[in-house]
């Protein structure tokens, strides 16, 4: 039984996340996902809280057929303990973490694999595109919720 572990916020679960989980599971028999708590995600990403709460994100991850166990990620320092506690053979992350000091030291404890990110999709892109829709597509917002005035220039450029 090869046990695989991956970490992430997995907010506004999308195709990029699902492809990462599918490929991670294919590297073993049992996939553990450590989902960032809301507090840790805010500290780590230094922006707003995730759209979905920690418990909702966990429920969604548990519903993904590739995922066998969801645990909590609340600190950067917990990874070596996680590897020992869950007898992990392989830690898998997306290529945006390649070479990161947050993961490279794990090579002393298990196999470490970076998988190519899925291009063209991200949680922040979804947020930006929906916001752009709300501004450019009439009727996207019911009138009582429509932002008074919104300059297109105020929108962050989408990637
Ligand atoms: N991912 C991907 N393709 C995308 C978007 C994301 O392969 N288009 C991968 C990321 O590389 C990551 C995982 O999906 O491995 C989850 O991504 P996020 O939810 O953005 O999590 P992240 O900020 O990478 O969290 O301990 C570290 C953090 O928990 C990592």
């Amino acid at each position: 039984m090869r046990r695989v572990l991956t970490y992430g916020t997995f907010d506004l679960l999308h195709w990029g996340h699902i492809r990462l989980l599918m490929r991670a599971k294919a590297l073993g028999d049992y996939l553990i996902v450590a989902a960032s708590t809301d507090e840790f995600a805010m500290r780590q990403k230094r922006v707003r809280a995730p759209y979905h709460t920690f418990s909702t994100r966990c429920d969604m991850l548990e519903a993904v057929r590739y995922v066998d166990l969801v645990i909590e990620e609340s600190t950067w320092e917990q990874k070596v303990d996680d590897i020992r506690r869950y007898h992990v053979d392989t830690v898998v992350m997306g290529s945006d973490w390649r070479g990161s000091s947050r993961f490279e030291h794990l090579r002393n404890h298990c196999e470490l694999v970076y998988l190519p990110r899925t291009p063209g999709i991200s949680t922040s892109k979804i947020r930006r595109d929906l916001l752009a829709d709300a501004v450019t597509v009439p009727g996207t917002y019911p009138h009582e919720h429509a932002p008074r005035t919104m300059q297109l220039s105020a929108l962050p450029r989408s990637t």
Side-chain angles (χ1 to χ4, degrees):
M1 160 88 88
R2 277 194 76 73
R3 301 162 78 89
V4 180
L5 171 63
T6 191
Y7 293 83
T9 308
F10 297 101
D11 191 28
L12 297 176
L13 203 64
H14 55 69
W15 176 232
H17 294 143
I18 299 294
R19 280 195 74 245
L20 189 275
L21 297 171
M22 178 174 64
R23 291 173 293 157
K25 180 63 179 276
L27 294 174
D29 310 293
Y30 191 83
L31 176 60
I32 304 163
V33 178
S36 315
T37 60
D38 298 332
E39 299 70 29
F40 182 67
M42 272 199 290
R43 250 184 301 125
Q44 185 223 128
K45 296 198 184 241
R46 298 192 187 85
V47 278
R48 69 190 82 67
Y51 182 83
H52 291 303
T53 63
F54 172 69
S55 68
T56 299
R57 288 180 284 116
C58 290
D59 291 348
M60 292 172 79
L61 286 165
E62 281 162 2
V64 175
R65 66 188 172 89
Y66 309 114
V67 177
D68 299 288
L69 178 67
V70 178
I71 62 173
E72 181 181 296
E73 179 189 29
S74 53
T75 72
W76 285 112
E77 296 72 30
Q78 68 180 70
K79 295 184 172 68
V80 174
D81 289 346
D82 293 341
I83 292 165
R84 292 195 178 121
R85 180 172 304 129
Y86 298 99
H87 310 289
V88 169
D89 301 289
T90 308
V91 166
V92 171
M93 291 301 293
S95 53
D96 47 322
W97 288 94
R98 189 182 298 287
S100 161
S101 60
R102 300 288 190 187
F103 288 94
E104 283 299 315
H105 65 291
L106 302 181
R107 292 185 191 283
N108 305 327
H109 305 276
C110 67
E111 186 189 16
L112 177 61
V113 174
Y114 299 106
L115 296 173
R117 260 178 85 83
T118 300
I121 183 72
S122 71
T123 303
S124 41
K125 182 179 185 312
I126 293 171
R127 281 177 177 258
R128 279 196 296 270
D129 290 353
L130 291 175
L131 191 56
D133 276 358
V135 172
T136 53
V137 182
T140 300
Y141 269 133
H143 66 78
E144 74 269 12
H145 295 305
R148 291 277 165 273
T149 58
M150 182 74 144
Q151 300 304 318
L152 274 183
S153 58
L155 286 175
R157 274 181 313 105
S158 90
T159 53

